[in-house]
Amino acid sequence: MHWARRQGQKHNQYAKNEHNLSAIEYDRFKYMNMTYTAKFGFPFLCVVAGLSSHDILRISEHRIANLFKTEFFIAISQLEELTFLRMQKIFGDTELQQPSFFTITRDNCKY
């Protein structure tokens, strides 16, 4: 299960995909998102493809302990990957190679 933040909306509204969260899981995600945004000043960004809701929650709980500078660069790298995946989907070219503008990647990022 993953939740995707809908763009262009003022409030955090989430779209469910494939599985339902329990009320407790939903409340944990909501609390972590509010806490994360309050601490860093920007929303939690994470490439969630292939991750379970438990994986996403574990990642968010670990990343909230980061210093601002560390988390800023992780968020930028996640945004870069999300943008690339969306562009790849729009153009339908799965052979495109993702450029890496930042040194932090999903593989070497310590969640």
Side-chain angles (χ1 to χ4, degrees):
M1 159 64 225
H2 69 270
W3 291 69
R5 183 166 191 217
R6 295 178 187 237
Q7 295 181 351
Q9 296 180 354
K10 291 182 180 180
H11 303 288
N12 288 339
Q13 295 182 1
Y14 298 91
K16 290 190 244 181
N17 184 19
E18 296 180 359
H19 304 285
N20 290 323
L21 292 177
S22 71
I24 293 171
E25 289 172 320
Y26 175 81
D27 287 343
R28 287 178 69 196
F29 272 102
K30 188 174 177 181
Y31 174 78
M32 286 304 298
N33 281 320
M34 290 181 349
T35 304
Y36 181 96
T37 302
K39 179 176 181 179
F40 296 113
F42 51 86
F44 178 73
L45 296 170
C46 183
V47 178
V48 298
L51 299 177
S52 71
S53 59
H54 299 289
D55 293 334
I56 299 164
L57 190 57
R58 178 185 52 80
I59 290 167
S60 67
E61 288 171 343
H62 181 82
R63 283 178 44 190
I64 203 159
N66 285 338
L67 298 173
F68 177 85
K69 186 175 182 178
T70 301
E71 190 55 30
F72 179 79
F73 283 106
I74 292 171
I76 291 293
S77 70
Q78 292 295 286
L79 184 59
E80 174 190 7
E81 189 172 348
L82 289 165
T83 302
F84 174 78
L85 292 172
R86 186 163 290 183
M87 295 300 287
Q88 190 179 48
K89 185 176 181 181
I90 289 170
F91 293 110
D93 189 348
T94 58
E95 299 299 316
L96 288 174
Q97 295 296 313
Q98 181 176 5
S100 182
F101 300 109
F102 300 97
T103 58
I104 298 173
T105 66
R106 188 174 186 163
D107 294 331
N108 69 11
C109 176
K110 294 182 181 175
Y111 293 121

